[in-house]
Amino acid sequence: QIQLVQSGPELKKPGETVKISCKASGYTFTNYGMNWVKQAPGKGLKWMGWINTNTGEPTYAEEFKGRFAFSLETSASTAYLQINNLKNEDTATYFCARRDFDYWGQGTTLTVSS
Amino acid sequence: DILLTQSPAILSVSPGERVSFSCRASQSIGTSIHWYQQRTNGSPRLLIKYASESISGIPSRFSGSGSGTDFTLSINSVESEDIADYYCQQSNSWPTTFGSGTKLEIK
């Protein structure tokens, strides 16, 4: 069965870097792009962008250009979200979701606090 | 960006009742609207795609309708397991955007 399994919760300080993983199984990884979605505490869903799992080309929503980076480890069917220079407002749950948003990871909770 | 307005913010219904969720787009998007359910501490789950297309494994009590700017998700006979937040999403224009959600409460 198709699964997206994300890495565990993270507690970081402002200015640090975090890298969240999303491991796919049950389908051909390179056939479907991967989306990343942010959900701040008590808030709705915000699309961050997606990565073409065939070419590795990322596309970022305007708000997420600069400190955010999508990457792949195709041999491991894994997509990554890296956030640099963390800020308090990055505190959120981050989801990966397959191309058509038909399958989602379980979410990774990131807390940024000094 | 296309703004999706969901109303009301909270819906409260009794088990067995029919409930409808509204999603209004800031401009015409054809039928490029999709609906998700998110239970507490859970991941979003795709319920309906392209306004009215059913998804395998989703109970038949969920249905969708609408086109242009006004869309509706309906639950035919609400069950306690339907307690969740419901979001609409548009994929007509880049970037894809989500509505702010409607919380379903059971009386």
Side-chain angles (χ1 to χ4, degrees):
Chain A
Q1 75 281 23
I2 294 170
Q3 281 190 300
L4 300 178
V5 178
Q6 298 184 225
S7 49
E10 299 273 5
L11 175 60
K12 294 289 187 180
K13 291 180 166 50
E16 292 186 337
T17 294
V18 70
K19 193 169 186 178
I20 295 168
S21 66
C22 170
K23 182 171 178 58
S25 61
Y27 70 98
T28 301
F29 181 69
T30 52
N31 284 355
Y32 296 83
M34 193 69 74
N35 294 285
W36 288 95
V37 176
K38 177 183 179 180
Q39 187 170 39
K43 302 296 186 183
L45 304 168
K46 186 171 289 188
W47 181 72
M48 302 173 68
W50 74 290
I51 185 165
N52 185 319
T53 51
N54 201 31
T55 66
E57 180 181 3
T59 299
Y60 302 98
E62 202 61 39
E63 179 181 339
F64 298 98
K65 290 179 179 177
R67 298 186 299 113
F68 300 83
F70 307 146
S71 62
L72 303 172
E73 187 178 351
T74 305
S75 62
S77 298
T78 300
Y80 297 95
L81 164 64
Q82 180 166 315
I83 311 174
N84 301 314
N85 188 22
L86 283 164
K87 304 179 186 304
N88 290 333
E89 53 264 39
D90 296 325
T91 294
T93 298
Y94 293 86
F95 294 98
C96 59
R98 204 172 72 155
R99 183 189 68 193
D100 299 325
F101 298 91
D102 50 355
Y103 291 91
W104 293 65
Q106 83 275 21
T108 296
T109 299
L110 169 65
T111 303
V112 182
S113 175
S114 54
Chain B
D1 297 2
I2 292 178
L3 177 66
L4 297 178
T5 301
Q6 292 190 244
S7 61
I10 301 174
L11 273 172
S12 184
V13 299
S14 299
E17 286 187 353
R18 179 181 175 86
V19 65
S20 293
F21 302 84
S22 171
C23 177
R24 178 164 291 177
S26 58
Q27 63 190 71
S28 180
I29 57 171
T31 57
S32 297
I33 201 80
H34 319 291
W35 290 94
Y36 299 85
Q37 176 193 67
Q38 186 180 30
R39 296 183 174 124
T40 302
N41 296 323
S43 304
R45 179 172 70 147
L46 180 63
L47 296 176
I48 297 287
K49 63 180 181 180
Y50 293 104
S52 62
E53 295 182 19
S54 58
I55 301 296
S56 175
I58 300 301
S60 58
R61 65 180 181 276
F62 291 91
S63 63
S65 63
S67 65
T69 59
D70 290 319
F71 302 89
T72 301
L73 170 72
S74 297
I75 308 177
N76 207 23
S77 178
V78 170
E79 300 184 5
S80 57
E81 67 180 25
D82 298 332
I83 295 173
D85 294 325
Y86 291 83
Y87 294 93
C88 57
Q89 176 206 20
Q90 68 81 22
S91 61
N92 183 73
S93 298
W94 193 94
T96 185
T97 50
F98 291 89
S100 56
T102 293
K103 179 181 292 292
L104 179 65
E105 296 180 345
I106 306 294
K107 289 178 184 175

